[in-house]
Amino acid sequence: METKHFVKRIFQILIVILAAGMGIAISAGCLEWYRISNPSSSISMGVLALTYIGSGLVCGCIGLLFSSKGADFLVQKGMHIFQQFVQLPFPQFMSALTLMLAGLVIASLLTNILHFMGDSVFTTAFSAILYVALGALGYTIGYVRSADFQQYIRSFFSLPKHSFHRKTHRAARKGASRGIPDKLLDSSALIDGRIVDLYKAGFFEGDLIVPDFIVEELHHIADSQDPSKRARGKRGLDTITSLQNLSSAHVRTMQENSEDTTDTDVRLLRLSTDTGAVVITTDLNLTKVAGISGIHVINLNELATILRPTVLPGARLTATVIKEGREASQGIAYTDDGTMIVIEDGRNHIGETLSLIVTSSLQTNAGRMIFARQDET
């Protein structure tokens, strides 16, 4: 917190100095225009000094009024950019950094041309604006168009287009030689978070692979303006960190050197076909598409359903009625593992904890449903 406060003070000072410099530059431009328009007139040094000092003080005071909010904005944006750099996949990080440096080099060349015309406060201020604008523009282009930049670099150095696929084929053959296929993690499985506990329990073996486009998708979700989406994206990124911190887990990211910008589900299934890895997800539609394509997919929701204990008719349960059912007089409750219980004549007992007897159960695509009635014995 002290560091953040110190950085804010530095930004406030820079804002005031920049505002004062802009005021002096404006007054210098106005005086230069006056000299050109009135070549016969002369301006005394006292008037020049008062003009420069007055304009600098006025603009400096204006800058001081807005310095606090401006510094807060700069600190917030700076922290956001820093977090982006930390969380960026390495190829995207390198493309953003490279194009940002290219923008700064172009700004340096342009400012040299300006200084040939003569040094002044105006040229200095304009040079600073050029550096900031072109550096930010280069970073933005590198961040957004990283796939195109990587494709251009690969073409420039005549790198094989499918070198990535040959690399992943070798990795797949290495995993296949051990008899344990690698696991590709979908964003929905990472957001779900249960993969950490399941891996600890030994349900999955082999390397866990997080493709770079999945990391990028989670990063975009974490930057969403919607609080719920932002929380889901952060949970997915935290899951990756938790898996990497497990001593027993072999987690690695995989770079897809491709200009493909299609849907992430399509890219994930294509990557699974190329590498022979198993896809882990909670997305029902992705599971169905993979089944049609003959791709091996593990759906965590299906796994959780299979692992739920079988409830036979006549078994006794205790549950709290929380809402009304769809049909008249029905009440709805849930078991500890989230299984829905439909209670006969339970509508009038909302909020009460009842002893129940299971009458039947039904397996659906959404999960298992238990039908029960009150135990009146």
Side-chain angles (χ1 to χ4, degrees), residues 335-356:
T335 64
D336 293 337
D337 61 4
T339 303
M340 179 187 290
I341 305 175
V342 180
I343 304 171
E344 182 181 347
D345 296 328
R347 175 170 295 188
N348 296 327
H349 299 279
I350 294 176
E352 299 179 17
T353 300
L354 305 178
S355 295
L356 306 172

Side-chain angles (χ1 to χ4, degrees), residues 247-284:
S247 58
S248 59
H250 300 280
V251 183
R252 71 176 190 270
T253 57
M254 179 176 286
Q255 175 188 353
E256 185 190 20
N257 293 330
S258 171
E259 66 278 11
D260 190 3
T261 57
T262 55
D263 184 77
T264 55
D265 288 350
V266 176
R267 296 170 70 181
L268 191 70
L269 295 178
R270 186 180 301 141
L271 185 58
S272 174
T273 302
D274 292 336
T275 62
V278 178
V279 176
I280 298 180
T281 183
T282 61
D283 190 333
L284 181 60

Side-chain angles (χ1 to χ4, degrees), residues 69 274 306:
K69 291 184 178 180
D274 292 336
I306 294 171

